Amino acid sequence: TMYQHNTDSIIIAHDTTASSNIYNMTKLYVNETPDILRPQQKYSNAKLLTFDNDKGNGMKSSIRVGVANDSTRGQTYRYAHLSEVAFWDHPETAMLSILQCIPNEKDTICIVESTANGFNYFYELWDKAVKGENDFTPIFFPWYLDKSYAMPYSGFVLTPYEEEIKEKYNLSNEQLSWRRWAIKN
């Protein structure tokens, strides 16, 4: 968004705290961008970053950050990041509103992500993506891809299931230590 002309993006979180955190991460990214690459910021408040990509010619782009119950109507977004959809209060209504604002055109993207939360709207959306019944591409990132999910191995004896998943997913004993800790806690 920072580098595109007249491009608006939206990031929607499940609650106000998460929305603020995402806004702060976005603002940090913008502020840490090297001066030579950083576009001029026109506006910046708790929900909106607006850029003047051509230093004053009026070609503005924006990133709006909000929560799922905020109104998104009346705008066209080229990029959308919809965060923790499984935890939205009324996902059917919010998604209907948001998806109507994203054109089905080349160079648009809508990322819908979440941690699982039972059998709900997000679960159904995921299942349909897996079955090819919608245009979303299902991508799953399991915990063990993040190598920071590890703890010192204390020498415990692995269960048959732990042996199986250790081999299947190439897990270390330190990762299995973290897994045991996470399940216990």
Side-chain angles (χ1 to χ4, degrees), residues 164-180:
E164 178 184 328
I165 64 172
K166 179 179 179 177
E167 183 175 330
K168 184 175 182 179
Y169 300 112
N170 194 29
L171 302 178
S172 69
N173 287 339
E174 291 75 17
Q175 288 175 298
L176 291 171
S177 292
W178 178 88
R179 181 181 177 274
R180 281 187 173 199

Side-chain angles (χ1 to χ4, degrees), residues 54-172:
D54 286 325
K55 310 290 188 230
N57 75 351
M59 302 291 278
K60 293 178 181 65
S61 293
S62 69
I63 301 173
R64 178 175 303 280
V65 181
V67 294
N69 59 3
D70 288 348
S71 175
T72 57
R73 299 182 188 280
Q75 184 75 27
T76 300
Y77 299 104
R78 179 122 344 253
Y79 309 116
H81 173 193
L82 312 178
S83 182
E84 294 292 3
V85 173
F87 296 88
W88 288 12
D89 286 337
H90 302 285
E92 298 86 354
T93 305
M95 288 291 285
L96 179 62
S97 173
I98 293 163
L99 293 177
Q100 296 301 311
C101 297
I102 304 166
N104 184 16
E105 297 176 356
K106 181 182 171 220
D107 298 327
T108 60
I109 188 167
C110 179
I111 297 170
V112 181
E113 54 88 354
S114 192
T115 309
N117 187 29
F119 297 96
N120 56 24
Y121 175 86
F122 180 77
Y123 177 83
E124 292 172 11
L125 187 70
W126 172 266
D127 264 4
K128 287 178 182 177
V130 169
K131 294 175 186 174
E133 295 174 359
N134 61 33
D135 289 339
F136 291 101
T137 302
I139 302 171
F140 177 70
F141 297 100
W143 65 270
Y144 53 81
L145 291 181
D146 185 340
K147 297 301 181 190
S148 69
Y149 291 144
M151 298 178 81
Y153 175 60
S154 64
F156 60 83
V157 177
L158 300 180
T159 67
Y161 181 71
E162 288 171 329
E163 290 282 1
E164 178 184 328
I165 64 172
K166 179 179 179 177
E167 183 175 330
K168 184 175 182 179
Y169 300 112
N170 194 29
L171 302 178
S172 69

